[in-house]
Amino acid sequence: AAGAPKALPSSGPKSLREMPHPLAASSSEEMGPPLTPSPDLLLPRSIADKDLSLPNGTPVDTSSPASSSSLLNRLQLDDDLDGETRDLFVTVDDPKKHVCTMETYITYRVTTKTTRAEFDLPEYSVRRRYQDFDWLRNKLEESQPTHLIPPLPEKFVVKGVVDRFSEEFVETRRKALDKFLKRITDHPVLSFNEHFNVFLTAKDLNAYKKQGMALLSKMGESVKYVTGGYKLRSRPLEFAAIGEYLDTFSLKLGTIDRIAQRIIKEQLEYLVELREYGPVYSTWGGLEVELSEPLEGVSACIGNCCTALEELSEDMTEDFLPVLREYILYSESMKNVLKKRDQVQAEYEAKLEAVALKKEDHPKVPTDVEKCQDRVECFNADLKADMERWQNNKRQDFRQLLMGMADKNIQYYEKCLTAWESIIPLLQDKPETK
């Protein structure tokens, strides 16, 4: 289709031989010159050399902006997708609870609008439950093993810890599932996957699952059987840098996640105390006629601070923590793709060694070795392209996240400041009682 997004080098419609490839000049990873890691894949010096900490010596303007939303107004995002033609739109909404004899579960409406020729209709609306999304992700991993598959939100099964039917939990999961499908929709290869098409269009997905349709691509079949039987001699420098980056990134993000959860827990404990604290002043005001007005003012002020703190904690829980968790899971997904790439390269190295040991006078490389080399090169191209896309998304997501976090904190402190300033006139210049 004329409006289709520009495709990545992949195991998609093109044959491996037709794909332009950055590693096509060399016959194997270890036989070519050492690869130089991309600057974007290396850790920033501040992260690589020392623990994550607040920058020191940086001048900070602590003056309050004219309005709480002015921070977002001043800072502009410059990492928007640059003019890609969109021809597929997917949304997840309208969660509904289903109570059956054997189980109770939630379904979500998945709405699709498209102009792609692969779809028979311009619009679809189907209902899917969490296990259907999980099925889709597993199928994408099987059929597109060289690509990074977006993570799903974790399935909470610990009873008594999380009420999975609560309105807050269902909405948080809906947002995560919506983002999961939008990640796939924006991907120039995954969005054309046949399993994804079926997920978006099939009225009865269970019937399709039972059919067991073999939609695995040739690349998927060729990689599926690969196990840890081969041992990689050395990971190429560029992919070693990716692995080190992912290890450090997930470690730092995990630390931030744990601390953020502790902060939210302490905020909620403080909120409980604050709610008990305010009414005490109101009760006191009932006993002190001359002090009733300022004491009632203090009580109302504390009540306003409670509301502001509650909103801040909700924003942290619903907007900040899910993004951290998603990227922790994202890094694990990328590590898994990296391991698959290593396995395919190890297989290729083993085949090359086997050919060399035979010492036969056949100048032509065996076909199975060439195919294995193609798989290595395809993995390399797809992994690097997806890593670049992931880095761009990460930069944009975290910029929005941190800007939003700053703005929410500004709003919180402005509300508290306004509340406390409102009672100052009650405490100043009071005429003496005669």
Side-chain angles (χ1 to χ4, degrees), residues 192-347:
F192 287 92
N193 185 276
E194 294 177 78
H195 294 291
F196 186 47
N197 185 306
V198 169
F199 176 87
L200 297 178
T201 61
K203 286 295 182 183
D204 186 3
L205 192 61
N206 288 327
Y208 172 81
K209 292 178 185 178
K210 292 175 182 177
Q211 291 175 9
M213 295 177 64
L215 295 179
L216 287 178
S217 66
K218 291 183 179 180
M219 172 59 69
E221 292 173 343
S222 64
V223 175
K224 189 177 180 181
Y225 73 88
V226 176
T227 63
Y230 303 100
K231 187 174 181 180
L232 183 66
R233 286 201 299 267
S234 63
R235 180 181 281 174
L237 182 60
E238 185 167 12
F239 297 105
I242 292 177
E244 292 173 3
Y245 171 82
L246 292 172
D247 287 340
T248 306
F249 175 74
S250 58
L251 178 65
K252 298 297 183 184
L253 219 57
T255 302
I256 294 173
D257 179 59
R258 288 192 299 274
I259 295 174
Q261 290 192 51
R262 288 204 304 270
I263 290 173
I264 292 173
K265 181 176 179 291
E266 291 171 3
Q267 283 179 339
L268 295 176
E269 291 173 351
Y270 172 58
L271 185 59
V272 171
E273 300 292 339
L274 211 56
R275 283 174 175 157
E276 295 179 1
Y277 185 50
V280 175
Y281 286 92
S282 181
T283 306
W284 182 14
L287 301 175
E288 300 274 1
V289 178
E290 295 181 356
L291 296 176
S292 62
E293 190 175 1
L295 289 174
E296 287 289 351
V298 172
S299 180
C301 171
I302 294 174
N304 290 334
C305 291
C306 284
T307 303
L309 181 59
E310 186 175 15
E311 292 174 355
L312 178 64
S313 298
E314 286 178 357
D315 289 329
M316 289 281 287
T317 302
E318 296 174 7
D319 298 330
F320 186 74
L321 290 182
V323 176
L324 295 181
R325 197 66 208 145
E326 181 196 15
Y327 271 93
I328 291 172
L329 296 174
Y330 237 137
S331 63
E332 294 303 316
S333 297
M334 180 64 83
K335 289 178 187 178
N336 289 333
V337 179
L338 198 58
K339 288 177 182 177
K340 292 178 185 177
R341 192 219 72 86
D342 291 346
Q343 291 170 0
V344 173
Q345 183 184 333
E347 179 195 7

Side-chain angles (χ1 to χ4, degrees), residues 67-296:
S67 68
S68 60
S69 61
S70 61
L71 177 67
L72 290 178
N73 292 335
R74 292 200 308 267
L75 297 176
Q76 304 265 333
L77 292 178
D78 55 6
D79 286 332
D80 292 338
L81 295 175
D82 43 6
E84 285 189 357
T85 303
R86 301 291 300 276
D87 56 5
L88 181 63
F89 299 88
V90 180
T91 57
V92 178
D93 60 8
D94 190 27
K96 286 185 178 179
K97 185 177 181 180
H98 301 260
V99 181
C100 303
T101 305
M102 300 298 293
E103 62 175 338
T104 301
Y105 59 93
I106 303 291
T107 64
Y108 304 85
R109 181 175 62 189
V110 178
T111 304
T112 304
K113 295 183 180 181
T114 183
T115 56
R116 289 187 181 181
E118 292 84 2
F119 293 84
D120 297 328
L121 300 174
E123 186 170 346
Y124 295 86
S125 180
V126 296
R127 297 203 71 84
R128 298 286 183 254
R129 56 188 296 185
Y130 179 88
Q131 67 181 27
D132 297 329
F133 288 85
D134 191 43
W135 170 85
L136 171 62
R137 192 179 189 284
N138 289 333
K139 286 299 180 183
L140 290 176
E141 279 194 329
E142 290 177 5
S143 57
Q144 308 282 176
T146 64
H147 285 289
L148 172 62
I149 311 301
L152 275 173
E154 293 168 301
K155 187 171 184 178
F156 296 97
V157 294
V158 182
K159 293 183 179 180
V161 176
V162 177
D163 179 8
R164 64 191 184 97
F165 298 116
S166 69
E167 185 177 341
E168 295 80 7
F169 177 79
V170 171
E171 176 59 17
T172 299
R173 172 166 284 185
R174 183 204 65 78
K175 289 180 181 178
L177 294 176
D178 182 75
K179 183 176 285 188
F180 169 72
L181 291 187
K182 282 180 167 56
R183 301 279 196 203
I184 299 173
T185 301
D186 291 340
H187 197 284
V189 175
L190 299 181
S191 63
F192 287 92
N193 185 276
E194 294 177 78
H195 294 291
F196 186 47
N197 185 306
V198 169
F199 176 87
L200 297 178
T201 61
K203 286 295 182 183
D204 186 3
L205 192 61
N206 288 327
Y208 172 81
K209 292 178 185 178
K210 292 175 182 177
Q211 291 175 9
M213 295 177 64
L215 295 179
L216 287 178
S217 66
K218 291 183 179 180
M219 172 59 69
E221 292 173 343
S222 64
V223 175
K224 189 177 180 181
Y225 73 88
V226 176
T227 63
Y230 303 100
K231 187 174 181 180
L232 183 66
R233 286 201 299 267
S234 63
R235 180 181 281 174
L237 182 60
E238 185 167 12
F239 297 105
I242 292 177
E244 292 173 3
Y245 171 82
L246 292 172
D247 287 340
T248 306
F249 175 74
S250 58
L251 178 65
K252 298 297 183 184
L253 219 57
T255 302
I256 294 173
D257 179 59
R258 288 192 299 274
I259 295 174
Q261 290 192 51
R262 288 204 304 270
I263 290 173
I264 292 173
K265 181 176 179 291
E266 291 171 3
Q267 283 179 339
L268 295 176
E269 291 173 351
Y270 172 58
L271 185 59
V272 171
E273 300 292 339
L274 211 56
R275 283 174 175 157
E276 295 179 1
Y277 185 50
V280 175
Y281 286 92
S282 181
T283 306
W284 182 14
L287 301 175
E288 300 274 1
V289 178
E290 295 181 356
L291 296 176
S292 62
E293 190 175 1
L295 289 174
E296 287 289 351

